Structures are given as structure tokens and as C-alpha cells.
Amino acid sequence: MKLPEKLRFIEADLRSAISKKIKRGKIECALAYQKSSNNESSLTLNMAAVKHLLEATQKIAAQMDNSQPLSALEILNYPGILQEQEINKETLKTTIIELVEQTLTEMIIVREREGQQLAGLLEERCLKMQSYVETARTRIPEVLKNLRTKISNRLQELTAEPDFD
């Protein structure tokens, strides 16, 4: 199971949901999570961290010649500056388990369809093999007759009188 670190809390529940629907075989599960970008209020700016970062960079800049100031984008990329709102883990867990169960149901339907196609192919091949067996059965007397004739001819050649002339 491959899960992002933020979703590790749901791993046991996912394994349980999968084992309820899939009894045998190997399942590989990879889950990716991306917050919707249309929710503007999901990010907040940690102004205290920005202030501490700027103070630290000013102290370092004072010790350097020709130092470049930080851009706003560089500040935003610094860890701890942008903070995401805490996600509701229960809602997220319920939604993910529902999606996984739906995916498993669809997978089972596909497996059953593939199994039916495979059964049809096997049945077709078995019928062909039966027709070959029937053809071979009807030819057995002819094949035995030809073998007897060949063996008889060989025996006659071996018992023939040698020519000493």
C-alpha cells in the first residue's frame, strides 16, 4: 500500500475494506491526495514565521557583501510560512473508504467479465480438442492397417532370399 504521509492514519481501515471484498490474490494500492484549489481559505500565512525569517535574513545580510533580498515567492516556499487548514480526518476517511470500495466493486465486475471470456475461450478450445479426438478415433482402423502393411512389407524384405550372383 502506497499512501502519502498525511493519509497513513487510514491504512488499517483500507486494508480491512480491501480484505472484505478480495479474498485471494495480490492487490497493490496507491493513493494520491490533492486538495481542491478552489478553496481559497485552506491556506493561511504564518506572519510570525515570516517576521522571524526576515529578521534572520537581515542579520545574515548585514554580515555579507552584495547580498540579495529574499523575494516573496522564496519566502512563501520556506517551510512553515504557508500553513494548510487541518483536514477533517473522519470525513476524509469516510470518503476515501467509499471510493476504494467503489473501485473494488468495479474491479470485481471487470474480473468476472474477464473470467467469463476466459471460460468461453477454454470451452471453445476443449470442443476443438474433442473434435480432434473424434477425428483420430475414426482414423484408428486406417492408421493400424497402414502400420500393419508397412511392418509386413519390411518383414518380407528381411526374409527374402539373398541374391548371390
Side-chain angles (χ1 to χ4, degrees), residues 37-140:
S37 61
N38 60 3
N39 188 358
E40 294 175 16
S41 66
S42 67
L43 294 176
T44 57
L45 194 57
N46 184 344
M47 289 308 291
V50 171
K51 182 180 175 188
H52 290 298
L53 179 62
L54 290 174
E55 288 172 358
T57 56
Q58 286 172 354
K59 288 179 185 176
I60 294 171
Q63 302 294 319
M64 298 173 55
D65 294 330
N66 299 328
S67 69
Q68 298 287 326
L70 288 175
S71 72
L73 187 58
E74 290 172 323
I75 292 172
L76 285 174
N77 284 325
Y78 196 82
I81 300 296
L82 277 181
Q83 295 177 331
E84 294 184 53
Q85 282 183 340
E86 192 64 31
I87 57 175
N88 183 335
K89 289 186 176 185
E90 276 307 308
T91 303
L92 184 61
K93 177 176 143 180
T94 303
T95 303
I96 290 173
I97 289 176
E98 286 173 3
L99 287 171
V100 167
E101 286 175 347
Q102 178 184 350
T103 302
L104 289 170
T105 300
E106 291 172 11
M107 185 193 78
I108 289 169
I109 291 169
V110 169
R111 284 174 92 185
E112 287 173 352
R113 189 175 338 124
E114 287 175 349
Q116 289 170 353
Q117 290 173 343
L118 186 59
L121 288 172
L122 287 172
E123 190 174 325
E124 182 182 313
R125 296 230 171 129
C126 286
L127 289 173
K128 275 187 181 179
M129 289 173 68
Q130 281 180 324
S131 74
Y132 294 150
V133 168
E134 289 302 317
T135 302
R137 275 195 186 124
T138 59
R139 292 198 57 217
I140 286 177

